[in-house]
Amino acid sequence: MAYWLFKTEPSAFSLDDLKNRPDMTEHWDGVRNYQARNFLRDAVKTGDLVLIYHSNIPEPAVVGIAQVVRAGYPDFTALDPGSDHFDPKSSSENPIWYMVDVRYVETLKRPVTLEQIKGNPLLADMPLVRRSRLSIQPVTPEEWRIILAMAGK
DNA sequence: GCCAACGTTGGC
DNA sequence: GCCAACGTTGGC
């Protein structure tokens, strides 16, 4: 089982939005970056645990945990001309883009802010800190443990 | 809202 | 295949 960090802009889709879904489950669609796509297609597996990170807000932070309930499969929003995520280069024969399904697990009582993460030397190698814009990132077991400890768990 | 970082596109 | 132009991300 592996650990991940998924970014989302809460104005578009937040952890509470996930919590409020039927079955607390939702497609993680709309990822349109090849490196992130490769993780979704090849590496993210059912049962993996995910830190949910809220970006593009005054205090960006890891706010909760989700679990992967379905591994990578084609992101059908890329095939839908009515979708914001439509990609005319994709087709059902060559879907290009992939998504996974995630289920809400919990909201951290104490979110772990980007500022706190940047302030911890043990987390200095995280793509988040290295200013990568990558929206799907691997998290090591050690980083996972440290972040949850910082959240008071 | 600014802008740096960085990914993508397209002319050559 | 280089690289300038352009678009997007996301912290601040």
Side-chain angles (χ1 to χ4, degrees):
Chain A
M1 198 205 53
Y3 299 106
W4 304 94
L5 181 147
F6 289 5
K7 291 186 194 173
T8 183
E9 295 190 31
S11 60
F13 187 77
S14 71
L15 183 65
D16 278 344
D17 290 334
L18 179 63
K19 187 179 182 179
N20 292 329
R21 289 293 174 197
D23 296 341
M24 298 186 177
T25 296
E26 185 56 290
H27 311 303
W28 204 268
D29 61 19
V31 173
R32 296 293 179 269
N33 167 282
Y34 285 103
Q35 200 182 345
R37 185 282 309 267
N38 292 345
F39 286 130
L40 291 179
R41 188 189 56 191
D42 306 330
V44 178
K45 299 300 178 193
T46 301
D48 286 358
L49 291 169
V50 180
L51 296 172
I52 301 296
Y53 175 85
H54 282 174
S55 67
N56 244 317
I57 49 173
E59 193 161 71
V62 173
V63 293
I65 299 172
Q67 186 162 33
V68 178
V69 293
R70 184 176 175 186
Y73 64 105
D75 179 348
F76 50 71
T77 65
L79 303 174
D80 173 7
S83 168
D84 289 345
H85 304 301
F86 176 61
D87 180 354
K89 295 195 297 299
S90 71
S91 64
S92 38
E93 296 76 32
N94 179 25
I96 304 181
W97 304 113
Y98 283 73
M99 62 184 175
V100 300
D101 292 352
V102 297
R103 184 191 295 131
Y104 172 87
V105 174
E106 68 172 284
T107 301
L108 297 178
K109 289 190 183 64
R110 260 197 284 146
V112 181
T113 66
L114 180 61
E115 190 180 13
Q116 289 175 283
I117 290 170
K118 282 182 164 177
N120 188 330
L122 296 173
L123 301 177
D125 286 335
M126 292 185 75
L128 199 64
V129 176
R130 294 180 165 269
R131 289 209 90 251
S132 165
R133 300 181 307 178
L134 196 57
S135 59
I136 305 290
Q137 312 184 356
V139 174
T140 68
E142 187 71 358
E143 290 161 351
W144 179 272
R145 190 184 60 72
I146 291 167
I147 288 173
L148 291 196
M150 290 165 79
K153 286 188 58 91

